[in-house]
């Protein structure tokens, strides 16, 4: 059944420019500026509405027994939402995607769970997505697949018949080959990736690591100018750093900072300087190391006692996975020990919350904070770092402390770059950030903000799609 038959719509003539088909793990149908949607979702929706097309992904719902699909059309965009089975969520999503690929791609090889059942489910779900999508595809369409959950999708689509341009973008890091080569799954990944026409990575480092994998697999090699031959197919590679809606975020942060809730936040600080971190609760984010660094800073700089407050926002993720339950307990314990060792009856040096905040609220908090503390152990990009810079007051900007292992550090090099494993150096970075003169803070911020205004989320989208549609 075609898309139009399914929806009861008249058949449209084929658009000679071709539609865009986006496939991602999740979809945001309501993504638009001003409704607290993430910049990526807003950009994808905007690109779809401009070109016309389809956005397909998991609905977030589960069915105990069978996969089901719901299609809805809004204007020239069709949303295809797939309900997964309980077993698929367990083995494909929580299993292979998040217990095998997530740790591998973030260079935590020892944490990776290798399970044949997980791998079978991963291939099965990707094959199901392909079977749903293929009848909707038109010869001039271009398919844009997002992230590690869906690496085999192009291969599964091509098994069903001839299909045109298919691109892939990896939002997480691609690790060094030494991390992958002992894990049999790396052969599955490389073979699957050979079915794409364009593969995008966040940074040149990721691209270099992928070249190494291609050269070591005996089935490919570099040809010229970011083109490789892999399993007999020519593939265009590129580094496309994902970004944010820089100007919109800056404006919303400035407006949100004037809201009553922020005035209450300022009053609660009682004149103390705010240091802020925002992360999903995950072992890749370096939260435990950051807490230790802050405690070390205060012990080594007692003049800052009762003069600073560190706010760690860490919404809980994957709470049904034992490893994440243990991490949540470990972070809570570390925070409690730090507050117990340094705090007083009327001063809590570290505020730790697991609830999420709206993008406007986060923007206001970023604007209020003198220090943005962004120190993941490994991160594909880290948009929090970019949002922190965008939210600053040009007349009195804060200082970004950023891990050298975050992809964003390659663009935001005017921040204070740290090794998140070196507690003492991070403690010193806090001191340096708090002591930095206003003139230097302005110079560093202006350098980064100028870059982000030019290289915003629309720049990222257009750059990638230019290559995909060419």
């Amino acid at each position: 059944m075609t898309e139009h038959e399914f929806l009861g719509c008249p058949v449209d003539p084929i658009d000679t420019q071709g539609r865009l088909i986006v496939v991602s793990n999740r979809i945001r149908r309501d993504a638009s500026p001003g409704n607290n949607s993430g910049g990526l979702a807003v950009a994808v929706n905007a690109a779809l509405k401009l070109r016309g097309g389809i956005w397909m992904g998991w609905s977030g719902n589960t069915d105990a027994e069978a996969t089901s699909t719901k299609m809805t059309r809004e204007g020239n965009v069709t949303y295809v939402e797939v309900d997964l089975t309980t077993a698929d969520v367990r083995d494909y999503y929580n299993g292979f995607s998040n217990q095998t690929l997530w740790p591998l791609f973030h260079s935590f090889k020892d944490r990776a769970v290798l399970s044949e059942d997980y791998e079978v489910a991963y291939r099965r779900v990707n094959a199901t997505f392909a079977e749903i999508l293929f009848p909707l595809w038109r010869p001039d369409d271009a398919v844009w697949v997002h992230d590690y959950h869906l690496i085999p999708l192009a291969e599964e689509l091509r098994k069903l018949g001839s299909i045109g341009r298919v691109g892939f973008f990896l939002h997480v890091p691609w690790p060094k080959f030494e991390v992958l080569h002992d894990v049999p799954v790396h052969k599955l990944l490389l073979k699957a990736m050979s079915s794409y026409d364009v593969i995008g990575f966040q940074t040149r480092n990721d691209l270099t690591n992928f070249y190494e994998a291609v050269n070591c697999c005996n089935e490919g090699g570099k040809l010229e100018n970011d083109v490789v031959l892999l399993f007999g197919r020519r593939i265009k590679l590129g580094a496309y750093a994902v970004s944010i809606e820089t100007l919109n975020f800056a404006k919303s942060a400035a407006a949100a900072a004037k809201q009553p809730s922020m005035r209450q936040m300022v009053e609660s600080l009682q004149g103390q300087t705010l240091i802020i971190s925002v992360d999903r609760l995950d072992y890749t984010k370096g939260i435990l190391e950051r807490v230790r660094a802050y405690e070390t800073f205060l012990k080594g700089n007692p003049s800052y006692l009762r003069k600073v407050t560190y706010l760690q926002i860490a919404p809980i993720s994957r709470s049904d996975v034992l490893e994440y339950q243990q991490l949540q307990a470990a972070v809570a314990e570390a925070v409690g020990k730090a507050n117990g060792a340094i705090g007083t009856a009327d001063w809590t040096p570290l505020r730790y919350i697991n609830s999420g905040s709206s993008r406007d609220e986060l923007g206001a908090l970023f604007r209020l904070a003198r220090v943005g503390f962004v120190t993941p152990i490994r991160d594909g990009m880290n948009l929090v770092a970019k949002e922190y810079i965008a939210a600053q007051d040009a007349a009195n900007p804060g200082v970004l402390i950023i891990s050298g292992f975050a992809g964003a550090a390659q663009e935001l090099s005017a921040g204070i770059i740290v090794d998140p494993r070196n507690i003492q150096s991070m403690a010193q970075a806090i001191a340096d950030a708090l002591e930095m003169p206003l003139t230097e803070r302005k110079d560093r911020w202006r350098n980064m903000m100028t870059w982000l205004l030019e290289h915003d989320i629309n720049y990222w989208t257009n750059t990638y799609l230019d290559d995909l549609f060419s």
Side-chain angles (χ1 to χ4, degrees), residues 30 57 60-61 72 89 101 123 182 188 237 241 244 246 292 308 311 323 335 379 397 409 414 425 429 445-446:
D30 61 342
N61 299 324
T72 54
V89 173
L101 294 186
R123 297 305 304 237
D182 289 334
L188 175 154
L237 305 181
I244 63 172
T246 309
R292 288 173 57 201
V308 292
L311 172 62
E323 191 170 32
V335 169
D379 223 338
S425 73
W445 172 81
R446 191 176 299 110

Side-chain angles (χ1 to χ4, degrees), residues 223-237:
L223 296 178
E224 78 283 333
N225 295 331
D226 291 340
V227 175
V228 296
L229 185 69
L230 184 59
F231 290 95
R233 298 191 76 254
R234 291 173 61 93
I235 305 166
K236 167 74 169 68
L237 305 181

Side-chain angles (χ1 to χ4, degrees), residues 21 103 339 469:
I21 299 177
N339 282 331
F469 276 93

Side-chain angles (χ1 to χ4, degrees), residues 28 30-43 243-257 259 261-262 276 278 313 315 355-367 383-388 390-391 456-457:
R28 279 295 304 271
D30 61 342
S32 62
N35 73 345
N36 283 316
S37 299
L40 176 62
V42 170
S243 194
I244 63 172
E245 298 174 280
T246 309
L247 189 58
N248 284 343
F249 195 88
K251 290 178 178 178
S252 65
Q259 296 301 310
S261 60
M262 286 304 109
I276 192 169
V278 179
I313 300 175
S355 59
S357 300
S358 71
R359 293 185 80 232
D360 285 349
E361 290 171 336
L362 288 177
L365 289 170
F366 291 153
R367 191 176 179 87
L383 297 182
V384 166
K386 296 186 176 185
E387 290 174 343
Y388 177 78
D456 65 1
I457 188 65

Side-chain angles (χ1 to χ4, degrees), residues 136-273:
L136 309 179
W137 169 77
R138 300 172 179 173
D140 290 333
D141 291 341
V143 181
W144 191 10
V145 181
H146 286 265
D147 227 357
Y148 59 100
H149 313 78
L150 298 166
I151 290 173
L153 184 59
E155 184 177 28
E156 297 297 337
L157 283 168
R158 297 195 191 280
K159 287 178 183 178
L160 297 174
S162 176
I163 194 164
R165 302 282 289 176
V166 187
F168 176 76
F169 187 82
L170 184 68
H171 291 260
V172 298
W174 183 272
K176 291 183 176 296
F177 188 65
E178 63 194 43
V179 175
L180 291 178
H181 81 282
D182 289 334
V183 183
V185 73
H186 84 269
K187 297 176 182 178
L188 175 154
L189 299 176
L190 288 174
K191 180 64 171 63
M193 292 178 88
S194 71
S195 290
Y196 289 97
D197 298 291
V198 180
I199 300 176
F201 300 91
Q202 296 276 23
T203 69
R204 296 298 304 184
N205 284 348
D206 297 326
L207 194 53
T208 298
N209 291 343
F210 188 76
Y211 281 137
E212 182 186 19
V214 169
N215 289 332
C216 292
C217 79
N218 298 321
E219 291 288 351
K222 186 174 181 179
L223 296 178
E224 78 283 333
N225 295 331
D226 291 340
V227 175
V228 296
L229 185 69
L230 184 59
F231 290 95
R233 298 191 76 254
R234 291 173 61 93
I235 305 166
K236 167 74 169 68
L237 305 181
Y240 312 83
V242 71
S243 194
I244 63 172
E245 298 174 280
T246 309
L247 189 58
N248 284 343
F249 195 88
K251 290 178 178 178
S252 65
K258 299 175 182 178
Q259 296 301 310
S261 60
M262 286 304 109
R263 289 198 293 270
Q264 293 170 7
M265 177 67 181
V266 171
E267 291 171 2
S268 76
L269 288 172
Q270 297 179 329
Q272 297 165 43
T273 299

